[in-house]
Amino acid sequence: MLIVMDHAATAAQIDAVNERVKMMGLRPEPIPGSQRTAIGVLGNQGYIDDSAIRNLAGVREIIHVSKPYKLVSRDFHPDSTIVTVGKVEIGGELPVVMMAGPCSVESEAQMFASARIVKQAGAHILRGGAFKPRTGPHSFQGLGVEGLRLLRQAGDEVGMPVVTEVMRIGQLDDVCRYADLLQIGARNMQNFDLLKEVGKLKFPVLLKRGMSATIEEFLAAAEYIVAEGNSQVVLCERGIRTFETATRNTLDLTVVPLVQQLSHLPIIVDPSHATGRRELVPVMAKAAVVSGAQGLMVEVHNDPTQALCDGAQSLDGAGFAQLMLELGQLRF
Ligand code: PEP
Ligand code: MN
């Protein structure tokens, strides 16, 4: 970390900063310049919380060299992490893993029909939300534990591991009883208590990017999980909030190669929530694979016109089968 002092900073102010750095167990190294003094901070093992320094008199700017994440970084762990979900492996150079299924579990008939469709087309992991983080309280909130049970049954019937969202710590016991992969949704990416709790489990986690999260915040959120001992984390880009309203979100595909440079964790892309529009899903799914995504999460419903949630972005059976065909032709 480098502390840049104001050009008018007094010797007493510089001394006060030096003393504060020492109090933090670190070593200040003043670098006097012709215009201003900078103070290098040495001896840290990682990111320094600068809140005790930032407001001291005479401090102009603080420049961080270390990132707020370490365990998830490739510097720390050069080999790609492989995450195992049931018998499915995600990460590294392994083939693209397809997660597919309805936004929400709505009924036994809908869940089983959707499961058969995605299985037949060649998907690897079945999705279905039971606890739904809906924008408004009047929308369908999911079937809860009954939804988990139906998802599990459908997954067992077609022979696929299942992924579903957990929204709070109190739901963890139930979700772990039925799921193979715990999804933390965009709205909970910075629910730090939840992140710490899933970090204590021996359970793979799918962490979706918050809708306004920077890449640094995304990786710092994953760091919370890994820091508790659980490195089985898959990251998921699902679009970020921008000024554009023509799509539900803006798909940020640059995050894929960037995260792969910065981190050893696998990253997948969800083109359904990123676009909100069915007709855009296949092309963005293919773009995601070309960008290097190690998996995709796609919403598929046996009858999207009747869906209780996200029908407009859900593919039907024929649409998903076609996408799988096109993705198969893409692999190089
Ligand atoms: C979901 O995948 O069901 C979901 C709610 O997505 P997100 O958290 O990305 O909005
Ligand atoms: Mn959805």
Side-chain angles (χ1 to χ4, degrees), residues 290-326:
V290 171
S291 78
Q294 287 139 317
L296 293 171
M297 174 177 257
V298 178
E299 286 188 338
V300 180
H301 193 287
N302 62 311
D303 183 0
T305 61
Q306 300 300 313
L308 297 181
C309 182
D310 289 350
Q313 66 192 36
S314 299
L315 299 179
D316 62 11
F320 184 63
Q322 178 64 25
L323 170 61
M324 289 298 285
L325 207 71
E326 291 173 18

Side-chain angles (χ1 to χ4, degrees), residues 248-326:
R248 182 172 178 179
N249 291 288
T250 297
L251 180 55
D252 175 17
L253 283 182
T254 52
V255 76
V256 174
L258 267 176
V259 157
Q260 287 167 341
Q261 272 174 31
L262 297 169
S263 175
H264 53 88
L265 298 176
I267 180 160
I268 71 165
V269 169
D270 170 353
S272 306
H273 292 90
T275 62
R277 295 168 60 149
R278 179 183 310 122
E279 77 277 16
L280 300 179
V281 169
V283 65
M284 298 321 288
K286 289 183 279 184
V289 169
V290 171
S291 78
Q294 287 139 317
L296 293 171
M297 174 177 257
V298 178
E299 286 188 338
V300 180
H301 193 287
N302 62 311
D303 183 0
T305 61
Q306 300 300 313
L308 297 181
C309 182
D310 289 350
Q313 66 192 36
S314 299
L315 299 179
D316 62 11
F320 184 63
Q322 178 64 25
L323 170 61
M324 289 298 285
L325 207 71
E326 291 173 18

Side-chain angles (χ1 to χ4, degrees), residues 127 132-133 165 183 185-187 208 238 273:
R127 68 153 284 151
K132 293 303 303 175
E165 178 161 354
Q183 177 171 326
R187 293 155 191 80
K208 297 189 93 175
R238 44 75 73 205
H273 292 90

Side-chain angles (χ1 to χ4, degrees), residues 135-193:
T135 299
H138 306 300
S139 304
F140 176 58
Q141 301 287 305
L143 296 182
V145 176
E146 174 62 6
L148 294 175
R149 208 176 54 74
L150 291 172
L151 174 67
R152 174 82 267 159
Q153 281 180 357
D156 288 346
E157 157 105 359
V158 298
M160 292 170 84
V162 299
V163 54
T164 196
E165 178 161 354
V166 54
M167 294 201 299
R168 54 185 167 82
I169 292 172
Q171 293 166 350
L172 268 174
D173 282 350
D174 282 330
V175 175
C176 288
R177 191 167 312 127
Y178 292 103
D180 300 295
L181 175 62
L182 303 178
Q183 177 171 326
I184 296 189
R187 293 155 191 80
N188 266 319
M189 188 205 80
Q190 287 187 317
N191 181 339
F192 300 118
D193 287 341

